[in-house]
Amino acid sequence: MHGKSNSSGRATQILIVDDHPIIREGMTLLLNLQEDLHVCGAAGSAEEALVAMERHPDMAIVDISLQSDSGLELVRTLRHRYPDLAILVLSMHDESLFAERALRSGANGYLMKLEATEHVLSAIREILAGNIYLSATMHEKLARALLTVPRKKPEGRIAGLSEREFEVLHLIGLGFSTREIAEKLNRSVKTIEAHQANIKEKLNIRSGKELMRFAIQWMESQ
């Protein structure tokens, strides 16, 4: 679907949503230098962003603060209307305060604007590869939170999951990749992939992307 990995070979189409023209222009210049990326539109407000979605971008890069609009509310709207859209939140706000909120709103990653340009490109490509992007510091914070939050007994739809499957689902909801989950649980990547396959079968989930969305929404409900 994204970048040159798709069957048509076209560049990944990206929409930039930021109320600062200099940011929009700078991001456009940076991304258009990449052979596999192309900025198909730029917007300064939520309203403009929704109109620009008519260009069918593969990815949206959204700022949290959009003058009178809420970037997080826009993320929620985009996720609801366009379930397959890749979304990166790029913001000046401290990730320790807003990264988890962004993920719960439907973003696939969070990056602070003070990061170097190579981190921007890494975040974009990590998300286009189907993963969640957070800084190493934020990943560590979420891992510590996992260890300190009291464990709940699985209920409702997830009641049929094993203890290990429940743990894997929890980590997916916190934004960790398969390899990171394997490292944290001291298991092989193949073992974690097997757990994920079992979870999808038990929950009647068809794809890894759908599993990630379910895990994040489930975490939000806890």
Side-chain angles (χ1 to χ4, degrees), residues 2-214:
H2 302 296
K4 290 190 172 180
S5 62
N6 62 27
S7 58
S8 67
R10 73 181 181 90
T12 297
Q13 303 298 298
I14 299 178
L15 169 65
I16 298 173
V17 187
D18 196 294
D19 59 0
H20 291 90
I22 193 170
I23 297 295
R24 297 197 299 270
E25 293 169 8
M27 286 291 294
T28 298
L29 288 173
L30 170 67
L31 300 185
N32 283 346
L33 287 174
Q34 314 305 311
E35 292 185 0
D36 57 336
L37 305 175
H38 175 71
V39 175
C40 65
S45 68
E47 182 180 4
E48 291 177 1
L50 294 175
V51 171
M53 284 300 298
E54 295 177 0
R55 301 176 186 176
H56 306 294
D58 303 302
M59 183 178 201
I61 300 177
V62 181
D63 188 9
I64 282 182
S65 299
L66 298 172
Q67 293 182 356
S68 60
D69 299 320
S70 165
L72 291 182
E73 184 61 35
L74 174 60
V75 169
R76 282 190 284 270
T77 299
L78 291 174
R79 176 57 64 227
H80 175 71
R81 297 187 184 182
Y82 308 97
D84 294 328
L85 180 69
I87 303 175
L88 170 64
V89 170
L90 183 65
S91 176
M92 286 296 296
H93 295 290
D94 189 340
E95 65 177 353
S96 66
L97 298 176
F98 287 94
E100 189 171 357
R101 295 181 187 180
L103 293 183
R104 294 185 188 280
S105 296
N108 302 102
Y110 190 98
L111 186 69
M112 294 183 65
K113 287 182 178 178
L114 54 78
E115 295 286 351
T117 55
E118 59 262 29
H119 291 168
V120 176
L121 297 175
S122 295
I124 290 172
R125 294 195 169 105
E126 187 76 11
I127 290 173
L128 293 176
N131 301 315
I132 285 178
Y133 183 89
L134 291 172
S135 72
T137 300
M138 195 62 204
H139 267 307
E140 185 60 30
K141 179 183 177 182
L142 291 178
R144 288 197 300 270
L146 174 64
L147 296 175
T148 57
V149 173
R151 298 294 301 278
K152 294 184 178 181
K153 183 179 179 180
E155 299 175 349
R157 187 176 174 185
I158 64 170
L161 300 183
S162 69
E163 182 69 15
R164 181 63 75 188
E165 290 163 356
F166 177 71
E167 194 169 14
V168 169
L169 181 68
H170 195 173
L171 286 166
I172 293 172
L174 287 173
F176 292 99
S177 68
T178 300
R179 184 169 299 279
E180 289 169 332
I181 293 173
E183 292 173 353
K184 292 184 181 301
L185 298 182
N186 196 27
R187 296 291 188 274
S188 70
V189 170
K190 286 187 177 180
T191 296
I192 300 304
E193 289 175 342
H195 286 313
Q196 292 172 337
N198 289 337
I199 294 170
K200 285 188 289 185
E201 182 177 357
K202 290 180 178 180
L203 299 181
N204 194 27
I205 289 175
R206 294 169 295 179
S207 67
K209 185 176 292 185
E210 186 179 343
L211 174 60
M212 184 184 298
R213 286 200 297 267
F214 175 86

